Amino acid sequence: MSVNAQDTADKVALITGAAVRLGAATARHLHTHGWSILVHCRQSREKAEELAAELNVHRANSCHVLQADLANDDDMTWLAQESRHVWGRVDALINNASSFYPTPVGSITSHDWNDLFSSNARAPLFLAQALAPELKSRQGAIINLIDIHAERPLSQHTVYCMAKAALAMQTQSLAKELAPDIRVNGVAPGAILWPGSGNITQEQQEEILAGIPLQRRGTPDDIARTIRFLLEEAPYITGQIIAVDGGRSL
């Protein structure tokens, strides 16, 4: 795809892990509201290209795919550089990419540790660092997708919960360090989409829903709307983590 920086004056959001699930929903929602979207993917290139084609039908040259492994330092450096070059600007970094799977004590490996911390804490930090000068020049924003389990641990997911807790602290710390030019906030989804790969049974789903005051799951658009609120309508909010969980964390 040929991309020319003069083709658009829209604000640009880089969304990691944007080919599917919450990332894709966020891409569609922001795109509907005028943003140009950089869709990052690691393995889901086909899905990412399908999403880009869908969005470009609605508005030509408004979505572009960038494939990179966030566990690879060279790939992360390339992603930060290339994201600036596509349309000549980046106004928002949305750290959505995340590995998620159980790690029962007794089975935890160094690979589990490296993988879960890499996607959920390390990559968001180094992408934020690499894009900080660009975001500062745009008075931009960073949104981190955290998890209500950063505060309330999920059974047999110790490493994942630790990584998300690190991301929560990172959000608050960067909000102080990057102010006043860059706002940094987090969104902590509750029960929005069930994990894939049979990670949760029907009985477990019903138990979770029974503990939610609103007695239902949220939708991916609930997350996307909260992200857009933080980007567009909250100029005096930074360092905050909004739980979008139907009251589950109460």
Side-chain angles (χ1 to χ4, degrees):
M1 186 192 312
S2 175
V3 180
N4 188 312
Q6 296 180 345
D7 288 346
T8 180
D10 297 337
K11 287 189 174 182
V12 174
L14 169 60
I15 308 174
T16 65
V20 296
R21 295 172 66 84
L22 294 183
T26 300
R28 288 187 177 97
H29 184 76
L30 292 181
H31 185 268
T32 298
H33 290 271
W35 287 73
S36 290
I37 307 297
L38 295 167
V39 174
H40 159 264
C41 65
R42 182 180 64 170
Q43 295 176 325
S44 302
R45 180 77 191 216
E46 184 176 351
K47 290 289 187 182
E49 293 289 0
E50 289 174 1
L51 175 60
E54 171 194 327
L55 298 184
N56 284 324
V57 165
H58 293 286
R59 182 155 35 93
N61 192 33
S62 59
C63 187
H64 186 71
V65 175
L66 297 171
Q67 186 171 13
D69 181 355
L70 298 183
N72 182 291
D73 286 348
D74 291 338
D75 274 22
M76 262 204 299
T77 298
W78 174 85
L79 178 61
Q81 293 174 343
E82 190 65 16
S83 66
R84 294 192 298 269
H85 294 158
V86 174
W87 287 300
R89 64 187 296 166
V90 177
D91 300 86
L93 167 62
I94 301 170
N95 286 307
N96 167 76
S98 171
S99 295
F100 172 82
Y101 48 83
T103 52
V105 172
S107 69
I108 299 170
T109 66
S110 59
H111 174 269
D112 296 333
W113 176 275
N114 291 333
D115 179 47
L116 288 164
F117 266 84
S118 177
S119 64
N120 289 297
R122 184 176 183 271
L125 174 63
F126 282 97
L127 282 176
Q129 177 173 265
L131 286 170
E134 171 66 16
L135 293 171
K136 180 178 180 179
S137 73
R138 305 289 174 188
Q139 295 292 292
I142 298 170
I143 308 293
N144 292 325
L145 270 292
I146 306 178
D147 195 308
I148 62 170
H149 294 299
E151 291 187 357
R152 299 171 68 91
L154 179 63
S155 177
Q156 299 191 337
H157 288 72
T158 295
V159 181
Y160 170 80
C161 293
M162 290 174 67
K164 286 300 191 183
L167 183 57
M169 177 51 68
Q170 179 187 139
T171 300
Q172 296 173 336
S173 183
L174 290 183
K176 292 190 71 172
E177 187 164 354
L178 298 180
D181 300 299
I182 303 170
R183 293 181 302 107
V184 186
N185 290 292
V187 176
I192 305 294
L193 295 171
W194 300 125
S197 305
N199 283 334
I200 186 168
T201 66
Q202 181 67 33
E203 183 179 359
Q204 289 171 322
Q205 293 177 21
E206 292 172 359
E207 183 180 348
I208 289 170
L209 293 176
I212 298 174
L214 293 186
Q215 293 286 290
R216 58 182 172 84
R217 278 196 299 165
T219 69
D221 209 44
D222 289 323
I223 303 303
R225 284 196 298 264
T226 304
I227 290 171
R228 187 171 69 86
F229 163 74
L230 288 170
L231 291 178
E232 295 185 352
E233 301 176 22
Y236 200 57
I237 296 178
T238 195
Q240 303 304 305
I241 299 168
I242 299 179
V244 184
D245 66 353
R248 184 181 176 193
S249 55
L250 295 175

